[in-house]
Amino acid sequence: MLNDLCREIGISRSFCCRYFKQMMNMTISDYFLEYRLSQALNLLKNSDKAISEVALQSGFSTISYFISVFRKKRGVTPLEYKKNKIFLTINP
């Protein structure tokens, strides 16, 4: 997808990635990871969906990866977040 976009607008993939990082202060991959986590936070707050369903609906390929990334970025597991109603925006 990124290659198609770069080709369409006439820039190299490496230039696009460097420019994005310069402007956003994060890589494209980190940006999409944060976006998926924000979707997961929203689902955890506003639904009764199972953690596995939240993970898959948020675009994570495996539940274990979702739990690992969530814990690393938010400091608690998705289940702890959901059970304890820790609805603070932690380091978005």
Side-chain angles (χ1 to χ4, degrees):
M1 185 165 102
L2 182 58
N3 288 336
D4 294 336
L5 174 65
C6 292
R7 187 174 33 256
E8 188 67 31
I9 60 176
I11 61 173
S12 72
R13 179 184 170 98
S14 61
F15 175 79
C16 179
C17 292
R18 281 192 316 271
Y19 186 74
F20 188 93
K21 185 168 184 171
Q22 179 183 6
M23 299 308 290
M24 300 296 291
N25 203 29
M26 67 175 65
T27 65
I28 292 172
S29 297
D30 288 341
Y31 177 83
F32 283 118
L33 180 62
E34 287 299 327
Y35 176 79
R36 290 194 315 262
L37 283 172
S38 71
Q39 296 298 336
L41 286 169
N42 187 47
L43 287 170
L44 290 168
K45 281 190 232 182
N46 300 312
S47 76
D48 291 327
K49 295 178 191 269
I51 301 301
S52 58
E53 193 173 353
V54 169
L56 296 175
Q57 284 189 353
S58 300
F60 289 89
S61 56
T62 66
I63 297 157
S64 60
Y65 177 63
F66 169 64
I67 293 169
S68 173
V69 168
F70 194 98
R71 182 185 301 130
K72 181 179 177 186
K73 296 285 189 173
R74 301 296 185 247
V76 293
T77 67
L79 186 58
E80 291 169 332
Y81 181 88
K82 186 176 181 111
K83 278 186 175 180
N84 295 317
K85 306 290 186 209
I86 305 170
F87 296 144
L88 304 173
T89 304
I90 307 168
N91 224 4

Coordinates of all heavy atoms in Angstrom, one line a residue:
M1 N 0.8 -1.2 0.0 CA 0.0 0.0 0.0 C 0.9 1.3 0.0 O 0.6 2.2 -0.8 CB -0.9 0.0 1.2 CG -1.9 1.1 1.2 SD -3.2 0.9 2.4 CE -2.7 1.9 3.7
L2 N 1.9 1.3 0.9 CA 2.8 2.5 0.9 C 3.5 2.6 -0.4 O 3.7 3.7 -0.9 CB 3.7 2.3 2.1 CG 4.7 3.5 2.2 CD1 3.9 4.8 2.4 CD2 5.6 3.3 3.4
N3 N 3.9 1.5 -1.0 CA 4.6 1.5 -2.3 C 3.7 2.1 -3.4 O 4.2 2.9 -4.2 CB 5.1 0.1 -2.7 CG 6.3 -0.3 -1.9 OD1 7.0 0.5 -1.3 ND2 6.4 -1.6 -1.8
D4 N 2.4 1.7 -3.4 CA 1.5 2.2 -4.3 C 1.3 3.7 -4.2 O 1.3 4.5 -5.1 CB 0.1 1.5 -4.2 CG 0.2 0.1 -4.6 OD1 1.1 -0.3 -5.3 OD2 -0.6 -0.7 -4.1
L5 N 1.2 4.2 -2.9 CA 1.0 5.6 -2.6 C 2.2 6.4 -3.1 O 2.1 7.4 -3.8 CB 0.8 5.8 -1.2 CG 0.7 7.3 -0.7 CD1 -0.5 8.0 -1.3 CD2 0.7 7.4 0.8
C6 N 3.4 5.9 -2.8 CA 4.6 6.6 -3.2 C 4.8 6.7 -4.7 O 5.1 7.7 -5.2 CB 5.8 5.9 -2.6 SG 5.9 6.1 -0.8
R7 N 4.4 5.6 -5.4 CA 4.5 5.6 -6.8 C 3.5 6.6 -7.4 O 3.8 7.3 -8.3 CB 4.2 4.2 -7.3 CG 4.4 4.0 -8.8 CD 4.3 2.6 -9.3 NE 3.4 1.7 -8.6 CZ 3.7 0.8 -7.8 NH1 4.9 0.5 -7.5 NH2 2.7 0.0 -7.2
E8 N 2.3 6.6 -6.8 CA 1.3 7.5 -7.3 C 1.6 9.0 -7.2 O 1.4 9.8 -8.1 CB 0.0 7.2 -6.6 CG -1.3 7.9 -7.1 CD -1.7 7.4 -8.5 OE1 -1.5 6.3 -8.8 OE2 -2.2 8.3 -9.2
I9 N 2.3 9.4 -6.1 CA 2.6 10.8 -5.9 C 4.1 11.1 -6.4 O 4.5 12.2 -6.3 CB 2.4 11.2 -4.5 CG1 3.2 10.4 -3.5 CG2 0.9 11.2 -4.1 CD1 3.1 10.9 -2.0
G10 N 4.8 10.0 -6.8 CA 6.1 10.3 -7.4 C 7.2 10.5 -6.5 O 8.1 11.3 -6.7
I11 N 7.2 9.8 -5.3 CA 8.3 9.9 -4.4 C 8.8 8.5 -4.0 O 8.0 7.6 -4.2 CB 8.0 10.7 -3.1 CG1 6.8 10.1 -2.3 CG2 7.6 12.2 -3.4 CD1 6.5 10.7 -1.0
S12 N 10.0 8.4 -3.5 CA 10.5 7.1 -3.1 C 9.9 6.8 -1.7 O 9.6 7.6 -0.9 CB 12.0 7.1 -3.1 OG 12.5 7.9 -1.9
R13 N 9.9 5.5 -1.5 CA 9.4 5.0 -0.2 C 10.3 5.5 0.9 O 9.8 5.9 2.0 CB 9.4 3.4 -0.2 CG 9.0 2.8 1.0 CD 9.1 1.3 1.0 NE 8.9 0.7 2.3 CZ 7.7 0.2 2.7 NH1 6.7 0.2 1.9 NH2 7.6 -0.3 3.9
S14 N 11.6 5.5 0.7 CA 12.5 5.9 1.8 C 12.3 7.4 2.1 O 12.3 7.8 3.3 CB 14.0 5.6 1.4 OG 14.4 6.3 0.3
F15 N 12.1 8.2 1.1 CA 11.9 9.6 1.3 C 10.6 9.8 2.1 O 10.5 10.6 3.0 CB 11.8 10.4 0.0 CG 11.4 11.9 0.2 CD1 12.4 12.8 0.6 CD2 10.1 12.3 0.0 CE1 12.0 14.1 0.8 CE2 9.8 13.6 0.2 CZ 10.7 14.5 0.6
C16 N 9.6 9.1 1.7 CA 8.3 9.2 2.3 C 8.4 8.8 3.8 O 7.9 9.5 4.7 CB 7.3 8.2 1.7 SG 5.6 8.2 2.4
C17 N 9.1 7.7 4.1 CA 9.3 7.3 5.5 C 10.1 8.3 6.3 O 9.7 8.6 7.5 CB 9.9 6.0 5.6 SG 8.9 4.6 4.9
R18 N 11.1 8.9 5.7 CA 11.9 9.9 6.4 C 11.1 11.1 6.7 O 11.2 11.7 7.8 CB 13.2 10.2 5.6 CG 14.3 9.2 5.7 CD 15.6 9.7 5.2 NE 15.5 10.4 3.9 CZ 15.6 9.8 2.7 NH1 15.8 8.5 2.6 NH2 15.5 10.5 1.6
Y19 N 10.4 11.6 5.7 CA 9.6 12.8 5.8 C 8.5 12.6 6.9 O 8.3 13.5 7.7 CB 9.0 13.2 4.4 CG 8.2 14.5 4.5 CD1 9.0 15.7 4.5 CD2 6.9 14.5 4.5 CE1 8.3 16.9 4.5 CE2 6.2 15.7 4.5 CZ 6.9 16.9 4.5 OH 6.3 18.1 4.5
F20 N 7.8 11.5 6.8 CA 6.8 11.2 7.8 C 7.4 11.3 9.2 O 6.8 11.9 10.1 CB 6.2 9.8 7.6 CG 5.0 9.6 8.4 CD1 3.7 9.9 8.0 CD2 5.1 9.0 9.7 CE1 2.6 9.6 8.8 CE2 4.0 8.8 10.5 CZ 2.7 9.1 10.0
K21 N 8.5 10.6 9.4 CA 9.2 10.6 10.7 C 9.6 12.0 11.2 O 9.4 12.4 12.3 CB 10.4 9.7 10.8 CG 11.0 9.6 12.2 CD 12.0 8.5 12.3 CE 12.4 8.4 13.7 NZ 13.2 7.2 14.0
Q22 N 10.1 12.8 10.2 CA 10.5 14.2 10.5 C 9.2 15.0 11.0 O 9.3 15.8 11.9 CB 11.1 14.8 9.3 CG 11.6 16.2 9.5 CD 12.1 16.8 8.2 OE1 12.1 16.2 7.2 NE2 12.7 18.0 8.4
M23 N 8.1 14.8 10.3 CA 6.9 15.6 10.5 C 6.1 15.1 11.8 O 5.6 15.9 12.5 CB 6.0 15.7 9.3 CG 6.7 16.3 8.1 SD 7.4 17.9 8.3 CE 6.0 18.9 8.6
M24 N 6.1 13.8 12.0 CA 5.2 13.3 13.0 C 6.0 12.8 14.2 O 5.4 12.4 15.2 CB 4.5 12.1 12.4 CG 3.5 12.4 11.3 SD 2.2 13.6 11.8 CE 1.2 12.5 12.8
N25 N 7.3 12.8 14.1 CA 8.2 12.4 15.2 C 8.0 10.9 15.6 O 8.1 10.5 16.8 CB 8.1 13.3 16.4 CG 9.3 13.2 17.3 OD1 10.4 13.0 16.9 ND2 9.1 13.4 18.6
M26 N 7.6 10.1 14.6 CA 7.4 8.7 14.8 C 7.4 8.0 13.4 O 7.1 8.7 12.4 CB 6.1 8.3 15.6 CG 4.8 8.6 14.9 SD 3.3 8.1 15.7 CE 3.3 9.0 17.2
T27 N 7.7 6.7 13.4 CA 7.7 6.1 12.1 C 6.2 5.8 11.7 O 5.3 5.9 12.5 CB 8.4 4.7 12.2 OG1 7.7 3.8 13.1 CG2 9.8 4.9 12.6
I28 N 6.1 5.5 10.4 CA 4.7 5.1 9.9 C 4.2 3.9 10.7 O 3.0 3.8 11.0 CB 4.7 4.9 8.4 CG1 5.0 6.2 7.7 CG2 3.4 4.3 7.9 CD1 5.3 6.1 6.2
S29 N 5.0 2.9 10.9 CA 4.6 1.7 11.6 C 4.2 2.1 13.0 O 3.1 1.5 13.5 CB 5.8 0.7 11.7 OG 6.1 0.3 10.4
D30 N 4.9 2.9 13.7 CA 4.5 3.3 15.1 C 3.2 4.1 15.1 O 2.4 3.9 16.0 CB 5.6 4.2 15.7 CG 6.8 3.4 16.1 OD1 6.8 2.2 16.2 OD2 7.9 4.1 16.3
Y31 N 3.0 4.9 14.0 CA 1.7 5.6 13.9 C 0.6 4.7 13.8 O -0.4 4.8 14.5 CB 1.8 6.6 12.7 CG 0.5 7.3 12.5 CD1 0.2 8.5 13.2 CD2 -0.4 6.8 11.5 CE1 -1.0 9.1 13.0 CE2 -1.6 7.5 11.3 CZ -1.9 8.6 12.0 OH -3.1 9.3 11.8
F32 N 0.7 3.7 12.9 CA -0.4 2.7 12.7 C -0.6 1.9 14.0 O -1.7 1.5 14.3 CB -0.2 1.9 11.5 CG -0.5 2.6 10.2 CD1 0.4 2.8 9.3 CD2 -1.8 3.1 10.0 CE1 0.1 3.5 8.1 CE2 -2.1 3.8 8.8 CZ -1.1 4.0 7.9
L33 N 0.5 1.6 14.7 CA 0.3 0.8 15.9 C -0.4 1.6 17.0 O -1.4 1.1 17.6 CB 1.7 0.4 16.5 CG 1.7 -0.3 17.8 CD1 1.0 -1.7 17.6 CD2 3.2 -0.5 18.3
E34 N -0.1 2.9 17.1 CA -0.8 3.8 18.0 C -2.3 3.9 17.6 O -3.2 4.0 18.5 CB -0.1 5.1 18.1 CG 1.1 5.1 18.9 CD 1.0 4.7 20.4 OE1 -0.1 5.0 21.0 OE2 1.9 4.1 20.9
Y35 N -2.5 4.0 16.3 CA -3.9 4.1 15.8 C -4.7 2.8 16.2 O -5.8 2.9 16.7 CB -3.9 4.3 14.3 CG -5.3 4.3 13.8 CD1 -6.1 5.5 13.9 CD2 -5.9 3.2 13.2 CE1 -7.4 5.5 13.4 CE2 -7.2 3.2 12.7 CZ -7.9 4.4 12.8 OH -9.2 4.4 12.3
R36 N -4.1 1.7 16.0 CA -4.8 0.4 16.4 C -5.0 0.3 17.9 O -6.1 -0.1 18.3 CB -4.0 -0.8 15.8 CG -4.0 -0.9 14.3 CD -3.6 -2.2 13.8 NE -2.4 -2.7 14.4 CZ -1.1 -2.6 14.0 NH1 -0.9 -2.0 12.8 NH2 -0.1 -3.2 14.6
L37 N -4.0 0.8 18.6 CA -4.2 0.8 20.1 C -5.4 1.8 20.5 O -6.1 1.4 21.4 CB -2.9 1.2 20.8 CG -1.9 0.1 20.9 CD1 -0.6 0.7 21.5 CD2 -2.4 -1.1 21.7
S38 N -5.5 2.9 19.9 CA -6.5 3.8 20.2 C -7.9 3.2 19.9 O -8.9 3.4 20.6 CB -6.4 5.2 19.5 OG -6.6 5.1 18.1
Q39 N -8.0 2.5 18.8 CA -9.2 1.8 18.4 C -9.6 0.7 19.5 O -10.7 0.6 19.9 CB -9.1 1.1 17.1 CG -8.9 2.0 15.9 CD -10.1 3.0 15.7 OE1 -11.2 2.7 16.1 NE2 -9.8 4.1 15.1
A40 N -8.5 0.0 19.9 CA -8.7 -1.0 21.0 C -9.2 -0.3 22.3 O -10.1 -0.8 23.0 CB -7.5 -1.8 21.2
L41 N -8.6 0.8 22.7 CA -9.0 1.5 23.9 C -10.5 1.9 23.8 O -11.2 1.7 24.8 CB -8.2 2.7 24.1 CG -6.7 2.5 24.6 CD1 -5.9 3.8 24.5 CD2 -6.7 2.0 26.0
N42 N -10.9 2.4 22.7 CA -12.3 2.8 22.5 C -13.2 1.6 22.6 O -14.2 1.7 23.3 CB -12.4 3.4 21.1 CG -13.8 4.0 20.9 OD1 -14.3 4.7 21.8 ND2 -14.4 3.7 19.8
L43 N -12.8 0.4 22.0 CA -13.7 -0.7 22.1 C -13.7 -1.3 23.6 O -14.8 -1.7 24.0 CB -13.2 -1.8 21.2 CG -13.4 -1.6 19.7 CD1 -12.6 -2.6 18.9 CD2 -14.9 -1.7 19.4
L44 N -12.6 -1.2 24.2 CA -12.6 -1.7 25.6 C -13.4 -0.8 26.5 O -14.1 -1.3 27.5 CB -11.1 -1.7 26.2 CG -10.2 -2.8 25.6 CD1 -8.8 -2.5 26.0 CD2 -10.7 -4.2 26.0
K45 N -13.5 0.5 26.3 CA -14.2 1.4 27.1 C -15.7 1.3 26.8 O -16.5 1.4 27.7 CB -13.8 2.9 26.7 CG -12.6 3.3 27.4 CD -12.5 4.8 27.2 CE -11.1 5.2 26.6 NZ -11.0 6.6 26.4
N46 N -16.1 1.1 25.5 CA -17.4 1.3 25.1 C -18.2 0.1 24.6 O -19.2 0.2 24.0 CB -17.5 2.4 23.9 CG -16.9 3.7 24.4 OD1 -17.3 4.2 25.5 ND2 -16.0 4.3 23.6
S47 N -17.6 -1.1 24.9 CA -18.3 -2.3 24.5 C -18.0 -3.4 25.5 O -17.2 -3.3 26.4 CB -17.8 -2.8 23.1 OG -16.5 -3.3 23.2
D48 N -18.8 -4.5 25.4 CA -18.6 -5.6 26.2 C -17.9 -6.8 25.5 O -18.0 -7.9 25.8 CB -19.9 -6.1 26.8 CG -20.5 -5.2 27.8 OD1 -19.8 -4.5 28.5 OD2 -21.8 -5.1 27.8
K49 N -17.2 -6.4 24.4 CA -16.5 -7.4 23.6 C -15.4 -8.1 24.3 O -14.8 -7.5 25.2 CB -16.0 -6.8 22.3 CG -17.0 -6.2 21.4 CD -16.4 -5.5 20.2 CE -17.5 -4.7 19.4 NZ -18.1 -5.5 18.4
A50 N -15.2 -9.3 24.0 CA -14.0 -10.1 24.5 C -12.7 -9.5 24.1 O -12.7 -8.9 23.0 CB -14.1 -11.5 24.1
I51 N -11.7 -9.7 24.9 CA -10.4 -9.2 24.5 C -9.9 -9.7 23.2 O -9.4 -8.9 22.4 CB -9.3 -9.6 25.6 CG1 -9.7 -9.0 27.0 CG2 -7.9 -9.1 25.2 CD1 -9.9 -7.5 27.1
S52 N -10.2 -10.9 22.9 CA -9.8 -11.5 21.6 C -10.5 -10.8 20.4 O -9.9 -10.5 19.4 CB -10.1 -13.0 21.5 OG -11.5 -13.2 21.8
E53 N -11.8 -10.5 20.6 CA -12.5 -9.8 19.6 C -12.0 -8.4 19.4 O -11.9 -7.9 18.3 CB -14.0 -9.8 19.9 CG -14.9 -9.4 18.8 CD -16.4 -9.5 19.1 OE1 -16.7 -10.1 20.2 OE2 -17.2 -9.1 18.3
V54 N -11.7 -7.7 20.5 CA -11.1 -6.3 20.4 C -9.8 -6.4 19.7 O -9.6 -5.5 18.8 CB -10.9 -5.8 21.9 CG1 -10.1 -4.5 21.8 CG2 -12.3 -5.5 22.5
A55 N -9.0 -7.3 20.0 CA -7.7 -7.5 19.3 C -7.9 -7.6 17.8 O -7.2 -6.9 17.0 CB -6.9 -8.6 19.9
L56 N -8.7 -8.5 17.4 CA -8.9 -8.7 16.0 C -9.6 -7.6 15.3 O -9.2 -7.2 14.2 CB -9.7 -10.0 15.7 CG -9.0 -11.3 16.2 CD1 -9.9 -12.5 16.1 CD2 -7.7 -11.5 15.5
Q57 N -10.6 -7.0 15.9 CA -11.2 -5.8 15.3 C -10.3 -4.6 15.2 O -10.6 -3.7 14.4 CB -12.5 -5.5 16.1 CG -13.6 -6.4 15.8 CD -14.9 -5.9 16.4 OE1 -15.0 -5.0 17.1 NE2 -16.0 -6.7 16.0
S58 N -9.3 -4.5 16.1 CA -8.4 -3.4 16.1 C -7.2 -3.6 15.1 O -6.3 -2.8 15.0 CB -7.8 -3.2 17.5 OG -8.9 -2.9 18.4
G59 N -7.2 -4.8 14.4 CA -6.2 -5.0 13.4 C -4.9 -5.7 13.9 O -4.0 -5.8 13.1
F60 N -5.0 -6.3 15.0 CA -3.8 -7.1 15.5 C -3.9 -8.5 15.0 O -5.0 -9.1 15.0 CB -3.7 -7.1 17.0 CG -3.3 -5.7 17.6 CD1 -4.3 -4.8 17.9 CD2 -2.0 -5.4 17.7 CE1 -3.9 -3.5 18.3 CE2 -1.6 -4.2 18.2 CZ -2.6 -3.2 18.5
S61 N -2.8 -9.1 14.5 CA -2.8 -10.4 13.9 C -3.0 -11.5 14.9 O -3.6 -12.5 14.6 CB -1.6 -10.6 13.1 OG -0.4 -10.4 13.9
T62 N -2.5 -11.3 16.1 CA -2.7 -12.4 17.2 C -3.0 -11.7 18.5 O -2.7 -10.5 18.7 CB -1.4 -13.2 17.4 OG1 -0.4 -12.4 17.9 CG2 -0.9 -13.9 16.1
I63 N -3.7 -12.4 19.3 CA -4.1 -11.9 20.6 C -2.9 -11.7 21.5 O -2.8 -10.7 22.2 CB -5.2 -12.9 21.2 CG1 -6.4 -12.9 20.3 CG2 -5.5 -12.4 22.6 CD1 -7.3 -14.1 20.5
S64 N -2.0 -12.7 21.4 CA -0.8 -12.5 22.3 C 0.0 -11.3 21.9 O 0.5 -10.6 22.8 CB 0.1 -13.8 22.2 OG 0.5 -14.0 20.9
Y65 N 0.1 -11.0 20.7 CA 0.8 -9.8 20.2 C 0.1 -8.5 20.7 O 0.7 -7.6 21.3 CB 1.0 -9.7 18.7 CG 1.7 -8.5 18.2 CD1 3.0 -8.2 18.6 CD2 1.0 -7.6 17.4 CE1 3.6 -7.0 18.1 CE2 1.6 -6.4 16.9 CZ 2.9 -6.1 17.3 OH 3.5 -5.0 16.8
F66 N -1.2 -8.5 20.6 CA -2.0 -7.4 21.1 C -1.8 -7.2 22.6 O -1.5 -6.1 23.1 CB -3.5 -7.7 20.8 CG -4.4 -6.7 21.5 CD1 -4.5 -5.4 21.2 CD2 -5.3 -7.2 22.5 CE1 -5.3 -4.5 21.9 CE2 -6.2 -6.3 23.1 CZ -6.2 -5.0 22.8
I67 N -1.9 -8.3 23.4 CA -1.7 -8.1 24.8 C -0.3 -7.6 25.2 O -0.1 -6.7 26.0 CB -2.0 -9.5 25.5 CG1 -3.5 -9.8 25.4 CG2 -1.6 -9.4 27.0 CD1 -3.8 -11.2 25.8
S68 N 0.7 -8.1 24.5 CA 2.1 -7.7 24.7 C 2.3 -6.3 24.4 O 2.9 -5.5 25.2 CB 3.0 -8.6 23.9 OG 4.3 -8.1 23.9
V69 N 1.8 -5.8 23.3 CA 2.0 -4.4 22.9 C 1.2 -3.5 23.8 O 1.6 -2.4 24.2 CB 1.5 -4.2 21.4 CG1 1.4 -2.8 21.0 CG2 2.5 -4.9 20.5
F70 N 0.0 -3.9 24.1 CA -0.9 -3.1 25.0 C -0.2 -2.9 26.3 O -0.1 -1.8 26.8 CB -2.3 -3.8 25.2 CG -3.3 -2.9 25.8 CD1 -4.2 -2.3 25.0 CD2 -3.4 -2.7 27.1 CE1 -5.2 -1.5 25.5 CE2 -4.4 -1.9 27.7 CZ -5.3 -1.3 26.9
R71 N 0.3 -4.0 26.9 CA 1.0 -3.9 28.2 C 2.2 -3.0 28.1 O 2.4 -2.2 29.0 CB 1.4 -5.3 28.7 CG 2.1 -5.2 30.1 CD 2.6 -6.5 30.6 NE 1.6 -7.5 30.7 CZ 1.7 -8.8 30.2 NH1 2.8 -9.1 29.6 NH2 0.7 -9.6 30.3
K72 N 3.0 -3.1 27.1 CA 4.2 -2.3 26.9 C 3.9 -0.9 26.8 O 4.5 0.0 27.4 CB 5.0 -2.8 25.7 CG 6.2 -2.1 25.4 CD 7.0 -2.6 24.2 CE 8.2 -1.8 23.9 NZ 8.9 -2.2 22.7
K73 N 2.8 -0.5 26.0 CA 2.5 0.9 25.7 C 1.6 1.5 26.8 O 1.7 2.7 27.0 CB 1.8 1.0 24.3 CG 2.7 0.6 23.2 CD 3.7 1.6 22.9 CE 4.4 1.4 21.5 NZ 5.2 2.5 21.1
R74 N 0.8 0.7 27.4 CA -0.2 1.3 28.4 C 0.1 1.0 29.8 O -0.5 1.5 30.7 CB -1.6 0.9 28.0 CG -2.0 1.3 26.6 CD -2.1 2.8 26.5 NE -2.6 3.2 25.2 CZ -1.9 3.8 24.2 NH1 -0.6 4.1 24.4 NH2 -2.4 4.2 23.1
G75 N 1.0 0.0 30.1 CA 1.4 -0.3 31.4 C 0.5 -1.3 32.1 O 0.7 -1.7 33.3
V76 N -0.6 -1.7 31.5 CA -1.5 -2.7 32.1 C -1.9 -3.6 30.9 O -1.8 -3.2 29.7 CB -2.8 -2.1 32.7 CG1 -2.4 -1.3 34.0 CG2 -3.5 -1.2 31.7
T77 N -2.5 -4.8 31.2 CA -3.0 -5.6 30.2 C -4.4 -5.1 29.8 O -5.0 -4.4 30.5 CB -3.1 -7.1 30.7 OG1 -4.1 -7.1 31.7 CG2 -1.8 -7.7 31.2
P78 N -4.9 -5.5 28.6 CA -6.2 -5.1 28.2 C -7.3 -5.5 29.2 O -8.2 -4.8 29.5 CB -6.4 -5.8 26.8 CG -5.0 -6.1 26.3 CD -4.2 -6.3 27.5
L79 N -7.1 -6.7 29.8 CA -8.1 -7.2 30.7 C -8.1 -6.4 32.0 O -9.1 -6.0 32.5 CB -7.8 -8.7 31.1 CG -8.9 -9.4 32.0 CD1 -10.3 -9.3 31.3 CD2 -8.5 -10.8 32.2
E80 N -6.9 -6.0 32.5 CA -6.8 -5.2 33.7 C -7.4 -3.8 33.4 O -8.1 -3.2 34.2 CB -5.3 -5.0 34.1 CG -4.7 -6.2 34.6 CD -3.2 -6.1 34.8 OE1 -2.5 -5.3 34.0 OE2 -2.6 -6.7 35.7
Y81 N -7.1 -3.3 32.2 CA -7.7 -2.0 31.8 C -9.2 -2.1 31.8 O -9.9 -1.2 32.4 CB -7.2 -1.7 30.4 CG -7.7 -0.3 29.8 CD1 -7.0 0.8 30.1 CD2 -8.8 -0.3 29.0 CE1 -7.4 2.0 29.6 CE2 -9.2 0.9 28.5 CZ -8.5 2.1 28.8 OH -8.9 3.3 28.3
K82 N -9.8 -3.1 31.2 CA -11.2 -3.3 31.1 C -11.9 -3.5 32.5 O -12.9 -2.9 32.8 CB -11.6 -4.4 30.2 CG -13.0 -4.6 29.9 CD -13.2 -5.7 28.8 CE -14.7 -5.8 28.5 NZ -15.0 -5.4 27.2
K83 N -11.3 -4.4 33.3 CA -11.8 -4.7 34.6 C -11.8 -3.6 35.6 O -12.7 -3.4 36.3 CB -11.1 -5.9 35.2 CG -11.5 -7.3 34.7 CD -10.8 -8.4 35.5 CE -11.4 -9.7 35.0 NZ -10.7 -10.8 35.8
N84 N -10.7 -2.9 35.6 CA -10.5 -1.8 36.6 C -11.0 -0.5 36.1 O -10.9 0.5 36.8 CB -9.1 -1.7 36.9 CG -8.6 -2.9 37.7 OD1 -9.3 -3.5 38.5 ND2 -7.4 -3.4 37.3
K85 N -11.6 -0.4 34.9 CA -12.1 0.8 34.3 C -11.0 1.9 34.4 O -11.3 3.1 34.7 CB -13.3 1.3 35.0 CG -14.4 0.3 35.1 CD -15.0 0.0 33.8 CE -16.2 -0.9 33.9 NZ -16.5 -1.7 32.8
I86 N -9.8 1.5 34.0 CA -8.7 2.5 33.9 C -8.8 3.2 32.6 O -8.1 2.9 31.7 CB -7.3 1.8 34.1 CG1 -7.3 0.9 35.3 CG2 -6.2 2.8 34.0 CD1 -6.1 0.0 35.4
F87 N -9.7 4.2 32.5 CA -10.0 4.8 31.3 C -9.2 6.1 31.1 O -9.7 7.1 30.6 CB -11.5 5.1 31.1 CG -12.3 3.8 31.0 CD1 -13.5 3.7 31.6 CD2 -11.7 2.7 30.3 CE1 -14.2 2.5 31.5 CE2 -12.5 1.5 30.3 CZ -13.7 1.4 30.8
L88 N -8.0 6.1 31.6 CA -7.1 7.3 31.4 C -6.4 7.1 30.1 O -6.1 6.0 29.7 CB -6.1 7.3 32.6 CG -6.7 7.3 34.0 CD1 -5.6 7.2 35.0 CD2 -7.5 8.6 34.2
T89 N -6.1 8.2 29.5 CA -5.3 8.2 28.3 C -3.9 8.2 28.8 O -3.3 9.2 29.2 CB -5.6 9.4 27.4 OG1 -7.0 9.4 27.1 CG2 -4.8 9.3 26.1
I90 N -3.3 7.0 28.7 CA -1.9 6.8 29.2 C -1.0 6.9 28.0 O -1.0 6.0 27.1 CB -1.7 5.5 29.9 CG1 -2.8 5.3 31.0 CG2 -0.3 5.3 30.4 CD1 -2.9 4.0 31.6
N91 N -0.2 7.9 27.9 CA 0.8 8.0 26.8 C 0.3 7.7 25.4 O 0.8 6.7 24.8 CB 2.0 7.0 27.2 CG 3.3 7.7 27.0 OD1 3.4 8.9 26.7 ND2 4.4 6.9 27.2
P92 N -0.7 8.4 25.0 CA -1.3 8.0 23.7 C -0.3 8.1 22.6 O 0.1 7.8 21.8 CB -2.4 9.0 23.5 CG -2.1 10.1 24.4 CD -1.2 9.6 25.5

